[in-house]
Amino acid sequence: MKISYVTALICSMLMFLLSGCSNNSYLESTQVPEEEIIEEDIQAEDETDQEAPGTIFVQAAGAVKAPGVYELKTGSRVFEVIEMAGGLKPDADDQELNQAGVLSDGQKVYVYRKGEAADSAAAASNPAEGGTSGATASDSALININTADAAGLKNLSGIGDAKASAIISYREANGGFGSIEELTKVDGIGEATLNRLRDQITI
């Protein structure tokens, strides 16, 4: 009788221990590793940070097939708004147009017709024919920051040798200016300088 009682007691203890191990194994198998939780949280934060790109509104005018105001993604290029405007007309003069330039919100992209720029320059420089002299007479009378040499750039208010050289270096490195607002990316030129030059420059 004593042996049977001890045997039963040992069996009960073994069953209890085995039952506990089984439960622990189950809990361990269903528990998600902490490293995976952290990784999933990081991925969720990354997805939240990747917001949809903003939009800008740009006007296409001049020798394009469908002039108007178009909505584009931030960072779009000049050629993209031209495509949205139906493309260039057969008489478009795009020699001075930087189609790789980056667009900015509120920008107006004007495409000259062949001969239009030259005609405007002649009229602006000859008051007897109805033009007026001065830097603000017309776009063609303005100083083109994409084509002017150092001497021409120094005709601008507040632009000396150093800033003229910086403008030329920037446009050579970046393929020209896509907008006059891009001028603020040149070292030494801020918003105040740009506002002073707006009536004197073009692209």
Side-chain angles (χ1 to χ4, degrees):
M1 292 295 293
K2 291 183 178 180
I3 295 176
S4 298
Y5 173 78
V6 172
T7 302
L9 181 60
I10 292 174
C11 289
S12 297
M13 292 178 65
L14 288 174
M15 290 178 65
F16 176 80
L17 290 174
L18 289 174
S19 176
C21 291
S22 176
N23 289 335
N24 288 336
S25 298
Y26 173 77
L27 291 174
E28 291 175 359
S29 65
T30 56
Q31 185 175 3
V32 179
E34 184 177 352
E35 293 80 4
E36 291 185 10
I37 295 176
I38 294 174
E39 184 176 353
E40 289 176 358
D41 289 342
I42 293 174
Q43 290 177 349
E45 291 176 359
D46 290 342
E47 291 175 358
T48 302
D49 291 339
Q50 295 175 355
E51 298 178 352
T55 58
I56 58 174
F57 291 89
V58 178
Q59 180 181 2
V64 292
K65 295 178 180 178
V69 176
Y70 295 91
E71 182 179 1
L72 302 96
K73 293 180 180 179
T74 300
S76 295
R77 307 278 176 166
V78 172
F79 76 88
E80 294 179 90
V81 73
I82 291 176
E83 289 178 353
M84 293 185 72
L88 298 173
K89 288 185 176 180
D91 62 342
D93 182 3
D94 63 343
Q95 293 301 311
E96 300 298 331
L97 181 65
N98 178 19
Q99 296 197 41
V102 179
L103 296 168
S104 59
D105 186 45
Q107 182 179 347
K108 178 179 180 180
V109 176
Y110 186 88
V111 182
Y112 282 116
R113 293 174 176 80
K114 293 177 181 178
E116 182 179 2
D119 292 343
S120 298
S125 62
N126 191 349
E129 295 183 4
T132 58
S133 58
T136 60
S138 69
D139 283 350
S140 58
L142 304 179
I143 293 178
N144 190 316
I145 57 176
N146 276 328
T147 59
D149 58 14
L153 292 171
K154 286 192 292 183
N155 288 325
L156 296 171
S157 175
I159 301 299
D161 290 331
K163 289 183 180 179
S165 178
I167 291 172
I168 292 174
S169 297
Y170 178 88
R171 75 189 188 198
E172 289 177 350
N174 296 275
F177 295 92
S179 67
I180 61 174
E181 286 76 13
E182 193 177 345
L183 192 61
T184 57
K185 295 183 179 180
V186 176
D187 290 341
I189 298 180
E191 289 293 339
T193 301
L194 174 63
N195 290 333
R196 186 173 64 249
L197 298 177
R198 282 185 183 277
D199 293 335
Q200 305 175 42
I201 60 176
T202 186
I203 57 172

